[in-house]
Amino acid sequence: MKVTFEDGNTLTFASGDEREDIEDTADIINVIYWLSAFAAPRVYRTFSRVPPREHILRLLDVYAAYVTKGAHYMAPQFHPVHYERRLPLATRLRELFETWAQPELPQEVIEISRALMEHEGIKPPACGWDAYEDPEEGGIKFEDALLWPEGVPAILNGQWPPKHQRA
């Protein structure tokens, strides 16, 4: 799948076997955003609400199907990436969310989320996951950039895509 932005830049997503694939790219990106929220406790604690268990379980089911077929849609930020380690971690994370006592995240959820980010080829923030704070961009809070059951609040509220001011 190729996405072209207003400024002409493009972003291409490809499956692990190098063929273009749009089947579940958006869902996987949404799972990755949620994993980064779970990996960063300071960010997660700023949320005004708790994600419904069923919503997270659905996203984790999509993610498990994605890793089962060996897909990876994003260019890794480092090498080597141990993609093969994702399925057991995703399976365990789903087990933890099945019995999750909201709203607090168990330490194991945080650790597995960080490991899954690593095994997707995504580096932790320069300051580290524990110090990472809400990366509000363009007036959009991280919480509003996530996929919730009703959709992505930033899109629903007309905040996305951000309006670029031209000089």
Side-chain angles (χ1 to χ4, degrees):
M1 173 172 125
K2 183 182 274 186
V3 177
T4 304
F5 298 97
E6 288 179 8
D7 64 3
N9 288 318
T10 60
L11 180 62
T12 302
F13 300 97
S15 63
D17 59 5
E18 301 305 320
R19 64 181 171 76
E20 288 194 349
D21 189 352
I22 62 169
E23 182 179 318
D24 56 5
T25 304
D27 274 340
I28 299 310
I29 291 169
N30 286 312
V31 173
I32 299 298
Y33 283 170
W34 273 108
L35 289 175
S36 65
F38 298 145
R42 291 176 78 161
V43 171
Y44 179 78
R45 283 194 289 273
T46 67
F47 291 1
S48 63
R49 59 184 174 155
V50 177
R53 175 189 342 266
E54 298 74 27
H55 178 64
I56 299 303
L57 293 175
R58 185 196 72 78
L59 288 174
L60 290 173
D61 288 343
V62 170
Y63 185 74
Y66 155 80
V67 299
T68 296
K69 66 182 180 180
H72 48 91
Y73 297 155
M74 293 169 266
Q77 297 173 346
F78 57 87
H79 291 284
V81 177
H82 298 285
Y83 295 109
E84 72 281 0
R85 296 182 182 166
R86 297 176 299 173
L87 187 56
L89 290 167
T91 301
R92 178 64 183 144
L93 187 60
R94 190 184 195 294
E95 290 170 357
L96 291 169
F97 273 108
E98 285 174 352
T99 60
W100 180 32
Q102 301 172 337
E104 289 302 313
L105 292 176
Q107 187 61 35
E108 190 175 3
V109 165
I110 295 166
E111 291 168 6
I112 290 173
S113 297
R114 291 174 181 180
L116 284 169
M117 295 292 287
E118 175 185 342
H119 298 314
E120 281 294 336
I122 300 169
K123 290 181 182 178
C127 61
W129 289 115
D130 288 326
Y132 192 58
E133 295 190 20
D134 189 345
E136 186 174 321
E137 292 183 32
I140 300 172
K141 292 181 176 252
F142 191 79
E143 173 182 4
D144 293 335
L146 294 168
L147 175 66
W148 294 84
E150 72 279 4
V152 178
I155 294 172
L156 296 173
N157 296 331
Q159 295 174 285
W160 186 263
K163 310 289 187 271
H164 293 288
Q165 295 186 3
R166 303 207 189 270

